[in-house]
Amino acid sequence: MGRARIAVAGAGLIGATHATLLRASPTCTLVGIVDPAPSARDVAERLGVPLFATLDALFAAMPVDGVVIATPNRLHVDQALHCIDEGAGVLVEKPVADTVADAERLAAVVAATGARVLVGHHRTHNPILVRAKALIDEGRLGRIVAVMGSAVFLKPDHYFDDGPWRREPGGGPILINMVHEVNTLRMLCGEIVAVQAFASNAVRGFAVEDTVAINLRFAGGALGTFMLSDTAACARSWEQTSRENPAYPSYADEDCYVIAGTRGSLSVPTMRIKSYPAGEDASWWKPFEVGTADVRHQDPLALQIEHFAAVIRGEAAPRVSVPDGLANLRVIEAIAEAARTGGAVELPSGS
Ligand SMILES: NC(=O)c1ccc[n+]([C@@H]2O[C@H](COP(=O)([O-])OP(=O)(O)OC[C@H]3O[C@@H](n4cnc5c(N)ncnc54)[C@H](O)[C@@H]3O)[C@@H](O)[C@H]2O)c1
């Protein structure tokens, strides 16, 4: 196959970014935009590609190897199924679906057909997390015991005025922000099998939560705590530490995860490692060997596009599969239920 011929459905905030990256890709050709909104005309003109109002019109007009679906969540599954029917590969934005039931519908078709579908949890492709996972997998930290994570930041008041739905249940940080974190936690520490949560709306006073304290149990026996808030003036978030999106100010002295094992710990994204030298006794009376793992920063969205092209060519399995997207959604639903009921919620192991 030559260059992969890829279209983008949904030319909003993230779709326009995908389309721009596709134009710059060495292995892909952006062949068109699908979006019924008048505002999409500007994006298509700027990128010099045809605009279609529907997926049907796109597929009727030209051969397409893959489609990036960057439309509102409730359209993801039907549009992904449509592309699968046409034999195209799919990169579907996160969350994979609006509901667990819808994600299950897509997962069943992917399992039955072997369709090539990648879910857009782009942080998976960030070299920081790729390096962190490699360090964990090669045993640098020993057996993983605990993870402490945070996504604690301050969203501006106008964010809630611009989208009043964000004040209502479902518009808060559990559904909007935590799905990224769950994917990262599962990538680094394995499947999540149980959760507990306390939620609060004490500061903003909206119907939706503004702050959540979450406990996690992993299949391998590790435990985790995660602090989530959109109303605290703090830099302990991936957004304000990873330098992934230059629109956010970033603080090089802060971390958003500490992963601790029986031989050492890793702070992410500073990548500071404190570990006991191999073969030596480990104890809090002994000094750690202290170091920092090197990482070459690269745009994970651009890396994700190159991975998508490899998936389309049949050279790679999706690094974030539909079953992964479904598992992430199940954990999110469990956190929301735990916060609502105040009880622990178990998830089937390997779900
Ligand atoms: N990976 C990330 O970090 C990230 C960031 C932002 C958004 N997202 C996800 O991307 C998706 C889009 O989010 P957004 O913020 O870009 O939204 P947006 O509202 O800015 O854009 C959505 C676009 O979809 C178009 N659209 C609506 N119906 C359509 C249809 N039937 N066919 C084609 N296009 C249609 C709209 O006209 C709009 O241009 C969501 O699923 C969101 O969760 C992911």
Side-chain angles (χ1 to χ4, degrees), residues 11-86:
L13 193 67
I14 195 77
T17 304
H18 285 306
T20 305
L21 289 169
L22 281 162
R23 283 279 280 145
S25 162
T27 65
C28 305
T29 301
L30 175 69
V31 293
I33 301 277
V34 180
D35 195 321
S39 55
R41 208 169 303 134
D42 284 351
V43 181
E45 262 170 31
R46 175 168 59 78
L47 295 169
V49 293
L51 175 66
F52 304 94
T54 64
L55 283 171
D56 272 331
L58 167 79
F59 288 120
M62 57 174 66
V64 178
D65 299 316
V67 179
V68 178
I69 297 178
T71 52
N73 300 348
R74 71 192 142 72
L75 301 179
H76 287 182
V77 168
D78 283 344
Q79 290 188 325
L81 291 171
H82 189 155
C83 295
I84 291 170
D85 267 353
E86 295 284 349

Side-chain angles (χ1 to χ4, degrees), residues 49-207:
V49 293
L51 175 66
F52 304 94
T54 64
L55 283 171
D56 272 331
L58 167 79
F59 288 120
M62 57 174 66
V64 178
D65 299 316
V67 179
V68 178
I69 297 178
T71 52
N73 300 348
R74 71 192 142 72
L75 301 179
H76 287 182
V77 168
D78 283 344
Q79 290 188 325
L81 291 171
H82 189 155
C83 295
I84 291 170
D85 267 353
E86 295 284 349
V90 178
L91 165 49
V92 57
E93 260 304 343
K94 49 57 54 182
V96 62
D98 222 7
T99 61
V100 165
D102 231 16
E104 285 170 342
R105 198 157 62 89
L106 180 58
V109 172
V110 169
T113 61
R116 295 149 301 165
V117 184
L118 171 67
V119 184
H121 284 282
H122 67 276
R123 292 182 191 176
T124 300
H125 308 273
N126 191 306
I128 298 169
L129 295 180
V130 171
R131 189 72 204 279
K133 181 164 170 50
L135 288 165
I136 292 168
D137 288 352
E138 72 198 32
R140 248 328 254 291
L141 311 181
R143 179 178 172 179
I144 299 304
V145 176
V147 55
M148 293 154 274
S150 53
V152 178
F153 38 68
L154 181 59
K155 291 183 181 170
D157 290 343
H158 71 75
Y159 175 85
F160 300 92
D161 298 333
D162 297 348
W165 60 272
R166 293 173 174 139
R167 299 192 180 113
E168 303 303 324
I174 293 180
L175 280 188
I176 293 180
N177 304 100
M178 194 65 198
V179 73
H180 284 296
E181 307 295 341
V182 166
N183 188 67
T184 299
L185 289 163
R186 290 182 53 254
M187 173 185 178
L188 297 181
C189 303
E191 290 302 339
I192 294 168
V193 294
V195 302
Q196 293 175 315
F198 273 135
S200 166
N201 63 353
V203 174
R204 293 197 192 274
F206 299 150

Side-chain angles (χ1 to χ4, degrees), residues 317-344:
R319 272 189 217 139
V320 185
S321 63
V322 172
D324 283 320
L326 170 58
N328 294 342
L329 269 189
R330 285 196 173 123
V331 175
I332 290 299
E333 279 201 355
I335 293 170
E337 186 187 335
R340 230 177 10 250
T341 61

